[in-house]
């Protein structure tokens, strides 16, 4: 498995985690928990943006890679 594929898998996983946090935030009645989940979703957005940047770099370095 190439690094590019692993980075893309990490990106998919991070987006899934973010979606879960957003779901938890919308479903809970506990305001403290809601804030915690919302903050976590926001924080993971930074990770997602970093991974997206890295995927773009990998694709630019190896134009044949689009996997």
């Amino acid at each position: 498995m190439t690094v590019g594929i692993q980075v893309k898998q990490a990106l998919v996983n991070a987006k899934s985690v973010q979606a879960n946090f957003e779901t938890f935030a919308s479903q809970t009645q506990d305001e403290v928990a809601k804030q915690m989940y919302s903050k976590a979703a926001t924080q993971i957005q930074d990770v997602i943006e970093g991974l997206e940047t890295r995927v773009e770099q990998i694709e630019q370095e190896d134009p044949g890679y689009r996997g």
Side-chain angles (χ1 to χ4, degrees):
M1 183 178 307
T2 67
V3 171
I5 290 171
Q6 290 174 327
V7 172
K8 279 194 169 187
Q9 285 179 340
L11 176 58
V12 168
N13 290 338
K15 287 181 177 183
S16 176
V17 169
Q18 183 184 39
N20 285 338
F21 283 142
E22 290 170 349
T23 298
F24 299 157
S26 69
Q27 291 179 345
T28 186
Q29 300 301 314
D30 182 332
E31 285 303 315
V32 173
K34 185 180 295 278
Q35 289 176 359
M36 180 187 69
Y37 291 135
S38 293
K39 183 177 179 182
T42 300
Q43 289 174 329
I44 200 152
Q45 182 61 37
D46 292 337
V47 174
I48 290 169
E49 290 170 6
L51 289 170
E52 288 172 338
T53 299
R54 185 61 187 130
V55 167
E56 290 173 12
Q57 290 171 342
I58 290 169
E59 289 176 349
Q60 288 175 359
E61 290 169 5
D62 184 1
Y65 175 78
R66 296 282 176 200

